[in-house]
Amino acid sequence: KKVSWSVELEGQDLDQGALVEWKIRDPEAGHVLGSGTTPVRGPHVSWETENFQMQAWSDRSPKLYRIEVGVRKGGGVVDSLSQPYGLRRLERSGMRLRLNGRPVMLRGGTDSYNYPLTTLEPPNNVEFHRERIRKLKELGFNWIRFHTWVPSEEYMQAADELGMMLLVEPPAAADAKQPRPNVDVNNFIAEQEWIDILKSCRKHPSVVIYCPGNEEMLDER
């Protein structure tokens, strides 16, 4: 199957002769699977590639690859980005779930933002989250629901690496605004927050479900 790629750019005159250069790497094998260039014709650049026989990411086999992207203009690279990614598809089949076409059962618990060592927030330390997830995996868990919060980048990175599936929710304060004198304004705020959540989480294969929080204030309609 094909793989679709999308890059959002910000800056002046990037569409005048600029190119997006890309490389796909397999970190374990240490070689480049594919590379190419795409002309810039605006702030949104997209292209398709073959799948280069890439393995799917799953809770049992969390295979990660790396995409390297650079913007070249006037003979030099003006910006670049490198990030890991995984390919996976979670879909419903009747009352069951399938991950990459195979039946999967979500087995896990809820992270309610309880961190006694730091009191206020989760440690911004990837190894801290790796250790927690390793322990959960040893117990047979493969899924964590985040109660009205979005995990940190370090948390999601650890989940990507170790094969822990995640369900993220927006903070309760954003969904339960009181009073609501202007519904349109509140809806805009909620929509913008969801856009921010999606942009933060969509590059992580571990994030498989997005869900509204269970502490929302809903009117009769």
Side-chain angles (χ1 to χ4, degrees), residues 4-170:
S4 297
W5 304 89
S6 178
V7 175
E8 295 182 12
L9 302 175
E10 292 182 358
Q12 296 180 346
D13 302 326
L14 282 177
D15 57 346
Q16 297 182 7
L19 292 173
V20 167
E21 299 178 329
W22 56 268
K23 290 183 180 179
I24 299 172
R25 292 186 184 272
D26 184 340
E28 294 181 6
H31 60 258
V32 176
L33 300 178
S35 62
T37 60
T38 302
V40 176
R41 296 190 177 94
H44 301 281
V45 182
S46 60
W47 68 95
E48 281 192 348
T49 69
E50 61 175 293
N51 66 7
F52 302 108
Q53 298 183 332
M54 289 183 284
Q55 302 174 35
W57 181 97
S58 73
D59 57 323
R60 297 178 182 272
S61 178
K63 176 65 177 179
L64 293 175
Y65 297 89
R66 180 166 289 274
I67 178 73
E68 299 173 3
V69 180
V71 179
R72 180 175 293 276
K73 182 181 179 183
V77 176
V78 297
D79 201 2
S80 63
L81 174 70
S82 175
Q83 69 183 38
Y85 71 92
L87 299 178
R88 58 104 186 96
R89 181 184 296 276
L90 182 70
E91 55 191 348
R92 179 180 65 85
S93 177
M95 293 295 292
R96 303 180 181 221
L97 293 175
R98 291 184 177 272
L99 181 62
N100 306 320
R102 300 182 61 182
V104 63
M105 178 69 72
L106 300 181
R107 309 178 306 275
T110 297
D111 190 325
S112 296
Y113 210 90
N114 297 320
Y115 293 90
L117 295 180
T118 55
T119 306
L120 295 178
E121 61 183 16
N124 292 325
N125 183 304
V126 176
E127 188 53 43
F128 172 87
H129 299 294
R130 288 184 185 129
E131 183 61 25
R132 294 192 75 194
I133 291 175
R134 287 190 191 103
K135 292 177 180 178
L136 292 172
K137 295 280 288 188
E138 290 174 1
L139 294 171
F141 293 165
N142 66 356
W143 176 70
I144 301 173
R145 176 232 171 177
F146 291 85
H147 174 35
T148 57
W149 68 289
V150 178
S152 66
E153 184 72 19
E154 293 82 3
Y155 206 143
M156 291 187 285
Q157 178 185 335
D160 291 346
E161 296 171 356
L162 298 175
M164 181 64 74
M165 293 182 286
L166 310 179
L167 179 154
V168 302
E169 300 178 358

